[in-house]
Structures are given as C-alpha cells and as structure tokens.
Amino acid sequence: MTHASLLRQITDYANRANPYPLYEELRKTPVLHEEEGGPYLVSSYWDIESLLHDPRISSDQSNLTAAGDDELSGPEATGLPPSFIRLDPPEHDRLRRIANSSFGPPHRPTRIDSMRGELHQIVTDLMDGFGDERQIDLVDQFAYPFPVTVICRLLGVPREDEPRFRSWVDPIVAGLDPDTRTSAESMKTAQDARLQLGLYLNGLVEQRAKEPREDMLSDLVNSHGPDGPMTTMEVLSTAVLLLIAGHETTVNLITNGMLTLLRHPEHLRRLRDDPGLSVKIVEELLRYEPPVQLVPQRTCIADIELRGVTIPKGSRIWLVLAAGNRDPERFKDPDRFDPDREDIEHLGFGSGIHSCFGAPLARLEAQIALSELARRLENPRLVEDPPPYRPNAVLRGPRHLNITFDGLR
C-alpha cells in the first residue's frame, strides 16, 4: 500500500465496508499531500481538533472554488445562497444563531426533550408495523422512516411529501461524495435537485408567513430577534440544510449502531436489560462508527504549519474524522467497541463553530431507537455481513441491513 494510493482507496467503494485499515495507514503520515493541486489529508485526533477551531480554516464555498474545488462546492452552486455550514463568521454566526433560536436553548430549551414521548410512539408504530415478519430491512423499514418522520414534524413539512423530496435529497447527498471520479453530470443533477427542493419549500414558507404554526419553518420565517430576520432565500437554504441533515446522518447512526451491536451481542444483551446504557452506547458509536467519516469542505486562508509540513494558503484540507476517532495517541485500544470508556470526547459531531447543529436530536433519536430494537427484537441476527453500503464516502452507512429474528416482544 503506497501513500499515493491512499486517497483513492479511501474514496473507492470497494473499501466502504471497512475503511479503518486505510485510516490506520493514513495516520502514519498525519499530514498527507499526494499530488500537486490535491488536498492535504489530516488524520490525527489532536490535529483535527485544533484545525476545527482554527480561524485560518475556511468553510466558505467561494474559497473552495478559488482553490479549484468546483466538484465539492457544486451541490450548493445554485440560485439558492449557501447554507450556514458553507459560510464563515460573521455571516455563519448570524444565521446559525437565528436557526438555533427555534431549536434549543436559550429560546426553546425544552423543544427536543419534550419530543421524547412522541419519538417513542413513532418507534413503537414502526416496529408494530413489522407485523408477523421475521426478516426486515432495518434501513427501509425503520432507520430511514424514523428520522424522516421526526424532522418533517419538527420543520413542518408534510410527511406524505417524503417520496417527492427524497427524489431531490438523494442526488444532493450523492453530490457531497468527494470521489474524484464524480462527474460534471452528477454535479449538475445535484444543483438542479437543490433548486427544486428550495422551490418546494418556498411554497411552505409562503404558507407559514401568512399562517404561522408551531414548527421551525414558522419560526425561521417570523424570526425578529437581535440578529434581525432571515431573508426568504436564507430561510430556504437553511430549511434545505435542516431537512437533509436532520435525517441523513441519523439514518447512518442508527444503522451503524445496530450493525455494531449485532457484531457485539454481549452489549446488545446489556442494552436489552438496561435501556439507560443507550447513552454510553451512542457516544461510543459516534467514536467507533461515525456517520460522517470525513469533512472535505475546508480551505486554508493563510499558511499553516502542522507536523513540520507547511500547508500553503489556498490549499484544500480534508479532515478525516473517523481516522482521528481511532487515533491510539488519543484513545486506548481504539479499535475496540467499548461503551464503558470513561473518556470519550469523540469527533463524531465535529467540533468548533461548525459542530453538528442537530446533535441533541440525533443523540435522543439513536438512544430511543437502539434501546427499543434491543428490547423488542427476539434473537436478532444479521442475514449478511458485511451488508451492502451506500456509495458515499462522507456519509458512510449500510444501504440495506437485513435482519432476521424470532419475534417481537
């Protein structure tokens, strides 16, 4: 295995089921630059943590484009403005504060926790829907519909429109894949899909402007806090982001979680007997099998010295979160799944100003989902291991997870 082949191997679908040996090899060169004009890959925990807090690292898509990264900035190169995760301060901070005012503390401190009963009911209904089946596809029948239903209710998007917006979400997510073989055609498809999704949401935004409801779309449209209101276009780009991010990563977290527990049945049994263990299990899963494996949308806006390497201004940086999460310099025995770890400050939700906006909701959804699966499925087993994976190297998770079991409790 040569250094020159690592980036392509990491993005190669053939290695999607188990990229961790590649990450181990990558950490031997913590700042890897393979070719002229290519990105710098950063893979150690402490370096990634530092750069996520470094103002010399930009998330602004105009800097990505200036660095020659048209492919990665492509999905947001539409008539809609970039979402706040593709902006730097102060614009990022303003938009994130407005969005957060309808999501959590200090303005709505109980919004997520108050959904606990509702989340349990959605999970119960989905599992009851298995009926007399003794084999299910966990993704299609549970891990996908659960967070989609939740984010639709939270935003105020009709759940029955899911088939419609899924046809736009899928190509947008595919456009985030940093595979260097991504075609211009797929980028154009992703851009068109983002615009169509924005136009769809615009109809809902216009309704909420006239008749506000108890949902996040209404809050975004009618926000009049100290940062002022969002423009209509800012509301739309934020709504697109929240709708996609509000379910895509959680699908992977739940599916990766159940796959890991089925591979470690002793912890599945513990969770069945003690639902409270779900808090520790989810945190360890975010370290051990993070749903977001790497962050490729970063650019240096000044020269940076790191591990004896000068990363020049204008260079692209990929932060390989999943490699940092298994860095032996940070975690003891990092390749072991251990929910009893006492020090588990993982990178599963990122860090710094761009740390995951929806982390409180994703945590709660995964805790409830996994504890109920453990409690109610009798003797669950994997049908195939490894399962087929989604093609995306960034948002990594099984596309299908077929499970057989003896019955439902």
Side-chain angles (χ1 to χ4, degrees):
M1 188 183 299
T2 64
H3 284 162
S5 71
L6 274 175
L7 184 145
R8 183 165 291 278
Q9 288 189 64
I10 287 168
T11 60
D12 188 344
Y13 179 76
N15 295 309
R16 196 71 71 246
N18 185 18
Y20 295 101
L22 296 173
Y23 298 154
E24 182 179 3
E25 184 71 17
L26 185 63
R27 285 192 301 269
K28 294 177 182 178
T29 309
V31 183
L32 176 64
H33 187 224
E34 295 182 324
E35 58 187 42
E36 187 72 25
Y40 286 77
L41 275 67
V42 180
S43 54
S44 79
Y45 177 94
W46 297 114
D47 293 340
I48 293 170
E49 171 73 13
S50 174
L51 290 175
L52 285 170
H53 291 261
D54 195 322
R56 296 172 297 175
I57 302 297
S58 171
S59 299
D60 193 308
Q61 71 170 22
S62 64
N63 290 323
L64 285 167
T65 303
D69 203 8
D70 292 329
E71 287 184 350
L72 288 177
S73 59
E76 299 214 9
T78 66
L80 289 178
S83 57
F84 59 75
I85 64 170
R86 293 294 185 93
L87 295 173
D88 295 333
E91 274 304 284
H92 162 273
D93 299 350
R94 179 181 72 86
L95 293 174
R96 180 164 172 143
R97 277 194 301 266
I98 296 173
N100 197 57
S101 68
S102 68
F103 193 72
H107 308 282
R108 290 183 178 269
T110 63
R111 174 163 242 168
I112 300 305
D113 192 63
S114 66
M115 295 180 70
R116 191 178 294 269
E118 189 175 2
L119 300 183
H120 268 286
Q121 188 60 55
I122 296 169
V123 165
T124 297
D125 292 345
L126 286 170
M127 296 190 72
D128 287 348
F130 299 163
D132 294 329
E133 293 183 60
R134 293 296 176 264
Q135 181 172 316
I136 59 165
D137 178 354
L138 189 79
V139 176
D140 286 346
Q141 293 174 254
F142 184 84
Y144 177 80
F146 174 37
V148 165
T149 300
V150 173
I151 195 62
C152 283
R153 291 188 187 181
L154 194 59
L155 277 175
V157 173
R159 178 63 175 84
E160 59 269 22
D161 286 352
E162 183 275 332
R164 187 179 176 192
F165 67 69
R166 187 176 189 179
S167 68
W168 299 317
V169 169
D170 286 349
I172 295 171
V173 172
L176 300 174
D177 192 339
D179 191 327
T180 53
R181 290 160 290 183
T182 298
S183 68
E185 182 181 355
S186 66
M187 283 297 97
K188 178 65 164 59
T189 302
Q191 293 164 8
D192 290 345
R194 185 170 184 263
L195 185 58
Q196 290 302 315
L197 182 54
L199 290 171
Y200 160 75
L201 289 168
N202 186 56
L204 299 178
V205 164
E206 289 178 346
Q207 291 177 7
R208 298 305 191 278
K210 297 174 184 175
E211 299 176 2
R213 302 179 187 176
E214 284 296 316
D215 55 42
M216 285 188 69
L217 277 181
S218 298
D219 289 348
L220 292 175
V221 171
N222 299 289
S223 173
H224 299 291
D227 289 295
M230 286 186 180
T231 67
T232 299
M233 297 299 278
E234 289 170 344
V235 169
L236 293 178
S237 66
T238 301
V240 167
L241 169 66
L242 297 180
L243 181 59
I244 296 174
H247 73 273
E248 281 292 330
T249 54
T250 310
V251 175
N252 285 348
L253 178 56
I254 293 170
T255 311
N256 287 335
M258 194 59 186
L259 175 60
T260 300
L261 288 170
L262 288 167
R263 288 170 171 172
H264 298 82
E266 70 279 15
H267 294 305
L268 184 61
R269 288 191 296 270
R270 290 179 65 198
L271 180 58
R272 181 191 61 205
D273 297 335
D274 178 12
L277 186 62
S278 64
V279 174
K280 288 185 174 182
I281 282 178
V282 168
E283 293 311 302
E284 173 68 343
L285 285 168
L286 286 161
R287 183 199 69 82
Y288 183 78
E289 284 277 31
V292 179
Q293 295 269 297
L294 56 100
V295 177
Q297 304 94 351
R298 296 291 188 271
T299 313
C300 287
I301 56 176
D303 289 356
I304 293 178
E305 293 284 335
L306 190 64
R307 302 265 184 153
V309 176
T310 299
I311 305 177
K313 176 182 178 180
S315 299
R316 291 175 291 146
I317 292 184
W318 289 16
L319 304 176
V320 189
L321 306 180
N325 271 347
R326 295 208 187 185
D327 186 347
E329 293 184 1
R330 175 62 182 82
F331 297 103
K332 182 180 179 181
D333 198 6
D335 292 322
R336 182 166 62 94
F337 177 66
D338 179 12
D340 297 314
R341 287 181 191 274
E342 294 182 359
D343 180 11
I344 194 171
E345 194 173 339
H346 54 73
L347 299 169
F349 285 132
S351 190
I353 63 169
H354 289 288
S355 60
C356 178
F357 179 87
L361 178 60
R363 280 187 164 105
L364 186 57
E365 287 176 301
Q367 290 163 13
I368 292 172
L370 294 174
S371 61
E372 283 297 287
L373 287 167
R375 183 180 72 85
R376 296 194 63 190
L377 293 182
E378 294 182 358
N379 190 27
R381 290 96 63 196
L382 289 170
V383 173
E384 58 180 326
D385 192 10
Y389 274 76
R390 301 168 69 177
N392 203 309
V394 174
L395 302 176
R396 175 181 166 271
R399 174 58 190 91
H400 299 285
L401 189 66
N402 292 310
I403 295 174
T404 186
F405 53 95
D406 296 341
L408 274 180
R409 296 185 181 88

